[in-house]
Amino acid sequence: MLVVMRQDASEAEIRGVVAAVEARGYKGQPIPGARRTAICITGNKGALEAPAFESLPGVLEVIPVTHAYKLVSREVKAENSIVSIGGVKVGGPELVVVAGPCAVETREQTLTVARALKKAGAHLLRGGAFKPRTSRYSCQGLGEEGLRILAEARAETGLPVVTEAVDERALDLVEEHADAIQIGARNMQNFSLLKRAGQARKPVVLKRGLSATLEEFLMAAEYILSEGNYDLVLCERGVRTFSDFSRNTLDLAVVPAVKSLSHLPILVDPSHGTGRRDKVAPLSRAAVAVGADGLMIEVHHDPNSALSDGPQSITPPMFEALMGELGQIAPVIGRRL
Ligand code: PEP
Ligand code: MN
């Protein structure tokens, strides 16, 4: 249930409603909006008594929330959320491009790619220091050393860093060193990790699970917001289908679906979504056209020798050409790059 406060409600009145919610054993989370604050009530099993809240000072109305996910829902917050990652705003009029290698391999490799990306106009640097690999024998990442390399690349280029935390130990380190914490597709339903990410003081990028429905995706996002971290960016990265021409099927239709159900920003990752270098640019163009708030793209200066995801990594010149194309598409749909 959502308790919508009047526009002129005071801080004390908002606190009074939260206290009344908590006195009944539920959780009350204020959601500040552009014009008024709403308090989302969670933790109740059955229907709530609306009149008990309607009569509290400062309350405008009490409305039921019909979806199983609450805090991520547009019912609870009508306007788009804008998430700041190291000062780069995701979800506003500017498209945001997160780019970098799949894995941080060496200092030289990461700095080479980061410099090229900065020159080409990327906004955020990605690169896995902790890699969730299907094979135990594939590169697992450099761990904390990788985080230090990313921090050095940020210091030189000014690009804030987004990197994955595969478990709670990694999350502590990523929270300390990076600007945003990525939760990967394989961990989308790792509920203890989601709760820990919800307690983090850094924004989170949550990737859609390999076979997750839209509802499961939004329910996973709800775990993070329910712990108090509202700085969440979703990322579509393709789902498993019978398609035999690409690694995954990039579900671009999920972008307008997310936009209608949720206020959260959403990125599209055409690299994991297709698994093929030659498909990254066309699907990036389509993602921008369909209304994504940005892209996450794997770039490597020497993809044929990449330790991870070389076949889907584009080169810096390809990235630069793509940025030029995206810059032309953006204004057509009222965005900027
Ligand atoms: C990644 O971004 O490198 C990654 C492992 O992605 P996903 O979790 O989407 O497979
Ligand atoms: Mn990858």
Side-chain angles (χ1 to χ4, degrees), residues 293-315:
D293 295 297
L295 297 161
M296 178 179 277
I297 300 177
E298 288 187 340
V299 182
H300 198 290
H301 66 294
D302 183 11
N304 293 334
S305 60
L307 295 182
S308 176
D309 285 345
Q312 68 194 33
S313 298
I314 61 172
T315 60

Side-chain angles (χ1 to χ4, degrees), residues 102 126 131-132 164 182 184-186 207 237 272 296 298:
C102 179
R126 61 147 289 146
K131 294 304 303 175
E164 180 164 355
Q182 180 172 321
R186 288 154 194 82
K207 299 189 88 176
R237 47 79 72 206
H272 294 88
M296 178 179 277
E298 288 187 340

